[in-house]
Amino acid sequence: MKQPPDEQPNLTRRQFASMAAAAAAGFVLTACGPKRLYEMPTDRLKARIREMERKYAEEFGTAVTVADTPPIPGVEFAYALDISRCIGCRRCVYACVAENNQSRNPQIQWIRVLSMDKDKGVDFSDADPYYQPEQVPQEGHFYVPVQCQQCRNAPCTKVCPTGATWTEKDGIVVIDYDWCIGCRYCMAACPYGARHFNWAQPSIPKDELNPKTHYLGNRPRPKGVVEKCTFCIQRTRNGRYPACVEVCPVGARKFGNLLDPASEIRYVIENKRVLVLKEELNTMPKFFYFYGT
Amino acid sequence: MRSVVWGACALAVVVGTFVARIGAGDAGVPVRAAEPQAAQAPPIQEMERVEVPPPPFSEGIYPCTACHNKDMPVNRTRRELTEMHTDIVLKHGHQWCLDCHDPDDRDFLHLADGERVGFDESYRLCGQCHGEKYRDWRAGVHGRRSGSWNGHKTYLLCAHCHNPHQPHFKPIEPKPAPIPPSRTVPR
Ligand code: SF4
């Protein structure tokens, strides 16, 4: 039967009802579902943080703090590593593991020190991360520690389908572990192998947990998410140096504010021979390598 | 009238600069002795002293004047020491003890011009030969500093890392290599 034109409003009402239902569902989802850090209203964020702290305290049997310290205005972090000094001792690797609560088994290490041949120069096809001589430095070798390069034109953040990783105002590329779905696109996109995946439940001995954590940094991660160096966000946003900077026995690691003309980073850039890794990819790292000599 | 206007402008500029300087001082970020504006940079000796931890003396060796006092005549001859300090092996260019240690007051070192400097200021002595390293060190780029990247920093003396008698670094044992990927997931 052909519908009389006067029944048209009925349809509209039905449409309206379904639209309203969809809108309501959408509203409920956005209001109650998980949110990225900066989309959350303060009270919800605080509640989420309290919940995390309670969960971690239960799991590790110690008081754990989860900070949400924001970027400092006027600060853009950068890093410089003196490859003429690094002796490849890997002190930085283990200081990083301890500071940032990386899984011991399966093993995750955000810093990888590559041993390279002095005759060949920086050549990734001929780099050895597994060197284990009695003593370092080894004759004829130099060392290039690699970690997240905190690219200004970061390929990893562009490919993330959920927006779980982004660049903060102070230049730190962060990951919200609550939003990471573990698709590992970012790992494929990263030309530096800086991102690491928790294939299994990470394990950290209870007495080795660093209880001072940051939401976007070293808080204990669940299985199935990606993680990486955050320039020690939990330390550097409070004025401290990253753990790797402090531990390096030869002082090869430098850190500071790129926007401060008096910072050591600027001194390095203005006075030393500086390079970035895989410059041709236009990733624009904020992690510089230099020759101090 | 015109000159008044100019005067006011000039004053404004001066005041502006002054205020800007105060502002910069307040932000007072890193401990940098001298700005790299080469023209007015003070001579390196006059730059402010930096804060360092106590010099790394061997146990019980300081004050040197406990032994090297007026009862012990100064022997200025370059020689091999056989009675005391035999543990010190000097591998540092063609140096001799008294090139750096002050013969008349052993609790001090001295610069090439004879000026006495304390052990806590030994960087000035080292910097006389290693000028480029000294400059980098003052800027926080050679060596290690502790403290905060945007605030107070403590330096280490050259001697905290380099044995002044044998400044070359000794090789050290590396920490364990990472486990290759095939074995990282527990079976
Ligand atoms: S701690 Fe310093 S010297 Fe040792 S591997 Fe790391 S960067 Fe190189």
Side-chain angles (χ1 to χ4, degrees):
Chain A
M1 194 179 100
K2 209 175 168 230
Q3 275 182 344
D6 62 322
E7 280 189 23
Q8 199 60 31
N10 265 345
L11 263 181
T12 314
R13 203 174 304 153
R14 204 211 231 122
Q15 268 175 346
F16 173 79
S18 59
M19 268 163 58
F27 177 76
V28 168
L29 274 181
T30 37
C32 309
K35 287 213 174 209
R36 290 175 198 82
L37 181 64
Y38 294 128
E39 290 168 353
M40 273 194 245
T42 324
D43 53 331
R44 279 219 28 226
L45 176 62
K46 294 292 168 214
R48 174 78 186 105
I49 285 177
R50 272 197 305 278
E51 180 193 326
M52 273 181 199
E53 290 179 336
R54 192 186 45 72
K55 212 190 83 214
Y56 293 144
E58 209 168 84
E59 190 180 336
F60 293 96
T62 173
V64 176
T65 54
V66 180
D68 61 337
T69 326
I72 306 171
V75 169
E76 187 170 5
F77 289 126
Y79 206 109
L81 199 150
D82 188 345
I83 35 180
S84 66
R85 294 241 175 277
C86 174
I87 53 170
C89 68
R90 296 200 187 95
R91 301 287 186 275
C92 49
V93 175
Y94 289 88
C96 174
V97 167
E99 169 68 33
N100 290 296
N101 295 322
Q102 283 145 47
S103 175
R104 314 301 203 267
N105 181 31
Q107 186 183 63
I108 289 189
Q109 295 178 345
W110 293 352
I111 305 177
R112 170 153 296 214
V113 187
L114 303 176
S115 164
M116 297 196 188
D117 203 323
K118 272 191 180 160
D119 293 339
K120 295 189 178 147
V122 178
D123 177 3
F124 289 102
S125 60
D126 192 51
D128 176 18
Y130 303 115
Y131 65 92
Q132 193 62 39
E134 300 255 293
Q135 291 194 316
V136 286
Q138 266 177 301
E139 195 59 34
H141 286 79
F142 70 102
Y143 303 88
V144 182
V146 181
Q147 60 209 75
C148 174
Q149 307 281 302
Q150 312 288 355
C151 305
R152 244 188 252 171
N153 187 16
C156 51
T157 57
K158 291 180 203 165
V159 296
C160 179
T162 64
T165 179
W166 67 90
T167 307
E168 290 272 276
K169 285 222 168 63
D170 53 7
I172 306 179
V173 177
V174 294
I175 303 167
D176 186 336
Y177 311 116
D178 286 3
W179 270 75
C180 175
I181 55 168
C183 67
R184 311 196 303 282
Y185 285 9
C186 57
M187 290 173 68
C190 175
Y192 305 102
R195 288 177 168 252
H196 304 269
F197 186 63
N198 286 283
W199 289 98
Q201 182 63 36
S203 76
I204 306 162
K206 280 188 180 164
D207 54 338
E208 287 177 26
L209 182 86
N210 174 8
K212 283 202 180 120
T213 74
H214 192 283
Y215 192 109
L216 297 171
N218 61 339
R219 70 178 161 100
R221 276 77 68 187
K223 173 181 172 176
V225 301
V226 168
E227 58 180 75
K228 65 166 197 68
C229 158
T230 64
F231 275 171
C232 279
I233 195 166
Q234 69 282 1
R235 297 166 64 103
T236 49
R237 283 194 178 169
N238 293 315
R240 299 179 67 196
Y241 281 113
C244 49
V245 170
E246 280 188 2
V247 80
C248 178
V250 298
R253 292 171 165 269
K254 306 292 158 198
F255 178 81
N257 179 7
L258 203 51
L259 306 182
D260 172 9
S263 69
E264 50 235 65
I265 284 297
R266 288 283 287 273
Y267 182 91
V268 166
I269 292 173
E270 284 159 24
N271 294 290
K272 300 291 175 189
R273 213 147 43 97
V274 173
L275 58 103
V276 294
L277 299 183
K278 302 193 180 180
E279 186 182 12
E280 67 280 11
L281 298 179
N282 197 31
T283 49
M284 296 201 269
K286 290 190 292 293
F287 197 108
F288 302 94
Y289 293 82
F290 71 103
Y291 297 91
T293 47
Chain B
M1 182 59 202
R2 225 178 136 152
S3 63
V4 171
V5 171
W6 277 116
C9 285
L11 186 66
V13 168
V14 169
V15 170
T17 321
F18 189 58
V19 169
R21 280 178 162 255
I22 292 180
D26 277 346
V29 191
V31 185
R32 273 287 295 275
E35 294 302 315
Q37 308 146 347
Q40 300 113 328
I44 232 159
Q45 303 85 299
E46 286 163 28
M47 294 198 301
E48 77 188 65
R49 280 174 75 131
V50 296
E51 188 187 323
V52 290
F57 292 120
S58 335
E59 190 76 10
I61 204 89
Y62 192 83
C64 311
T65 44
C67 301
H68 290 279
N69 50 33
K70 56 184 185 324
D71 302 331
M72 190 188 280
V74 181
N75 179 351
R76 289 169 200 264
T77 336
R78 210 173 245 269
R79 64 190 188 282
E80 195 176 327
L81 303 182
T82 47
E83 287 155 44
M84 272 299 287
H85 304 308
T86 47
D87 53 320
I88 297 175
V89 182
L90 204 54
K91 278 194 199 156
H92 190 168
H94 299 285
Q95 306 295 326
W96 155 246
C97 312
L98 300 183
D99 292 340
C100 300
H101 293 273
D102 193 81
D104 305 318
D105 187 344
R106 290 302 168 92
D107 291 342
F108 286 86
L109 302 162
H110 66 202
L111 305 182
D113 66 359
E115 185 194 339
R116 274 185 205 154
V117 291
F119 283 91
D120 58 348
E121 246 189 310
S122 51
Y123 47 87
R124 289 178 54 199
L125 172 62
C126 308
Q128 287 200 310
C129 293
H130 307 281
E132 193 201 343
K133 296 284 175 295
Y134 183 36
R135 203 160 55 233
D136 287 353
W137 175 79
R138 292 210 76 122
V141 168
H142 180 101
R144 300 166 68 182
R145 290 196 297 190
S146 49
S148 58
W149 60 263
N150 60 354
H152 185 76
K153 293 176 184 66
T154 315
Y155 289 64
L156 291 177
L157 287 169
C158 313
H160 282 115
C161 300
H162 303 273
N163 176 347
H165 303 124
Q166 293 177 54
H168 258 289
F169 265 63
K170 303 253 178 325
I172 57 173
E173 193 190 335
K175 294 264 194 182
I179 304 166
S182 55
R183 288 192 280 131
T184 48
V185 180
R187 273 170 276 190

